[in-house]
Amino acid sequence: MIKRGRRLRMNADIRDMVRETRISKDALIYPLFIEEGKGIIKEINAMPGQYRYSVDTMGKALEEVADAGIRSVMLFGVPAHKDEQGSGAYDENGIIQQAMRQAKKEVPDLVYIGDVCMCEYTSHGHCGILKGDSVDNDKTLPLLARTAVTQVAAGADMVAPSDMMDGRVRAIREALDQAGFTDTPIMSYAAKYASAFYGPFREAAGSCGFKGNRKTYQMDFHNRREAVKEVMMDIEEGADMVMVKPALSYLDIIREIKNVTNVPVAAYSVSGEYSMIKAAAAAGMIDEGSIVAETAVSVFRAGADMMITYYAKELAEMIDSGRIG
């Protein structure tokens, strides 16, 4: 007898009924760039359709996210001043700290996640304090912890350390607990690879032009087992969620992490993924919406519980229309 797998594909109602991977708007996180200054709504050249906002203009963008049914936003700061110590990252009145306080007043119902790193704030563009040509891991830890505390004190509901320093999760957890923020979760960029897919983000976050590379702290993209080691270390240190970054070229890593952990797994669909789709669509080579839907589903199918994506609003609309879900 012929085995007829097509029976479960014969019409849309049946296909929807047996669908294995489902996406919820609750699982989407929208990244937003906040620049120091006033009256700023500036399109990012390398990322068409994405903008930098100042604190006084970001309210409309946040309302659009909320109106789309997206529940979570991750904020990245673009300071006016950078120095070797990255002091703007942990300044109690830094750009992200200002943004958190204002965002909580204007659109209080969103979940606000603070990116904890120093690359946007250092004059050399690295994710910590330099010692010679290398980042000094242990001298960087207290500053990352201080950054997390100031962000949460300003209103952040969650912090997401993206620096890839050894021991940063423990340092941040201890600092948050000592400051009385024992209920604030940490979403660790646990398996963050040294990737060429970050290129457009560096324009967006103003961290272009740094010397050297980040390969001494971000992961080698040849390695898979190392990702498991990094994730397990972060969980042991107190991470409540872990992240794989980038997403699309690392679906195997997402699945590996999902299989061996019992904490929520996030994936970051990064700027290069977004900009490549935009460029191909502008050239008439692909159907943008179809590619966005297919790639997003692939990330969730691989095992992600949530996804940080610049296409969050478009995906929310697709979910509402039944195109994906």
Side-chain angles (χ1 to χ4, degrees):
M1 184 176 67
I2 295 176
K3 295 181 180 179
R4 299 189 184 277
R6 290 182 56 194
R7 290 181 185 133
L8 299 183
R9 304 180 207 130
M10 295 312 294
N11 62 60
D13 291 334
I14 292 177
R15 290 193 298 272
D16 290 347
M17 180 190 301
V18 301
R19 180 169 286 169
E20 298 176 27
T21 303
R22 301 181 187 275
I23 301 177
S24 166
K25 290 189 285 186
D26 293 340
L28 301 174
I29 301 169
Y30 188 64
L32 203 63
F33 299 95
I34 312 300
E35 183 174 354
E36 199 162 356
K38 291 186 177 180
I40 298 170
I41 303 178
K42 183 189 304 180
E43 188 168 25
I44 300 163
N45 291 332
M47 300 176 66
Q50 299 300 310
Y51 296 82
R52 290 183 183 177
Y53 299 90
S54 50
V55 172
D56 61 323
T57 63
M58 70 178 181
K60 183 179 178 182
L62 293 172
E63 288 173 359
E64 288 177 357
V65 171
D67 289 345
I70 299 163
R71 305 279 295 278
S72 305
V73 176
M74 182 175 285
L75 297 184
F76 295 88
V78 185
H81 170 74
K82 300 172 185 276
D83 57 39
E84 288 193 357
Q85 303 298 311
S87 60
Y90 44 87
D91 186 339
E92 292 180 0
N93 199 38
I95 181 59
I96 284 301
Q97 290 78 358
Q98 293 179 44
M100 288 292 182
R101 284 191 286 268
Q102 187 63 27
K104 279 293 189 180
K105 292 178 183 177
E106 292 193 43
V107 190
D109 294 335
L110 290 174
V111 173
Y112 291 99
I113 306 168
D115 176 75
V116 176
C117 196
M118 298 178 70
C119 62
E120 300 103 313
Y121 305 91
T122 54
S123 53
H124 46 73
H126 281 283
C127 300
I129 303 302
L130 284 186
K131 183 179 180 180
D133 294 329
S134 180
V135 173
D136 190 318
N137 189 96
D138 293 0
K139 284 187 177 180
T140 299
L141 296 182
L143 301 183
L144 295 169
R146 187 174 168 188
T147 300
V149 170
T150 59
Q151 288 186 358
V152 176
D157 299 293
M158 184 186 303
V159 291
S162 61
D163 54 283
M164 287 299 286
M165 296 298 113
D166 294 334
R168 76 279 175 62
V169 174
R170 176 176 285 113
I172 290 169
R173 183 72 272 161
E174 290 176 352
L176 289 174
D177 290 353
Q178 290 171 8
F181 300 124
T182 56
D183 293 332
T184 301
I186 297 172
M187 176 195 289
S188 169
Y189 287 65
K192 180 179 179 181
Y193 285 83
S195 172
F197 283 97
Y198 303 150
F201 176 90
R202 288 170 185 155
E203 177 190 330
S207 57
C208 297
F210 70 94
K211 296 180 180 179
N213 59 61
R214 298 186 172 110
K215 293 183 178 181
T216 62
Y217 44 101
Q218 293 177 0
M219 287 180 54
D220 183 346
F221 58 76
H222 296 82
N223 295 352
R224 180 175 178 176
R225 289 178 298 170
E226 186 184 17
V228 175
K229 180 183 75 171
E230 291 286 342
V231 164
M232 292 306 188
M233 286 167 50
D234 283 4
I235 293 172
E236 183 180 350
E237 291 180 13
D240 301 281
M241 310 177 191
V242 294
M243 185 197 303
V244 175
K245 180 182 181 183
L248 196 55
S249 290
Y250 297 84
L251 299 179
D252 61 319
I253 307 300
I254 296 170
R255 171 46 58 187
E256 187 81 14
I257 300 308
K258 182 69 170 181
N259 286 345
V260 300
T261 63
N262 59 2
V263 301
V265 177
Y268 197 144
S269 182
V270 298
S271 58
E273 298 168 44
Y274 174 88
S275 295
M276 286 196 305
I277 292 173
K278 281 289 183 182
M285 297 178 178
I286 60 170
D287 178 80
E288 183 177 4
S290 296
I291 293 291
V292 170
E294 187 174 341
T295 54
V297 168
S298 76
V299 173
F300 285 97
R301 190 182 64 239
D305 298 294
M306 65 205 81
M307 182 168 67
I308 302 102
T309 172
Y310 302 97
Y311 275 117
K313 290 185 287 186
E314 290 84 351
L315 287 167
E317 185 178 346
M318 292 180 197
I319 292 169
D320 284 339
S321 68
R323 186 170 181 179
I324 57 174

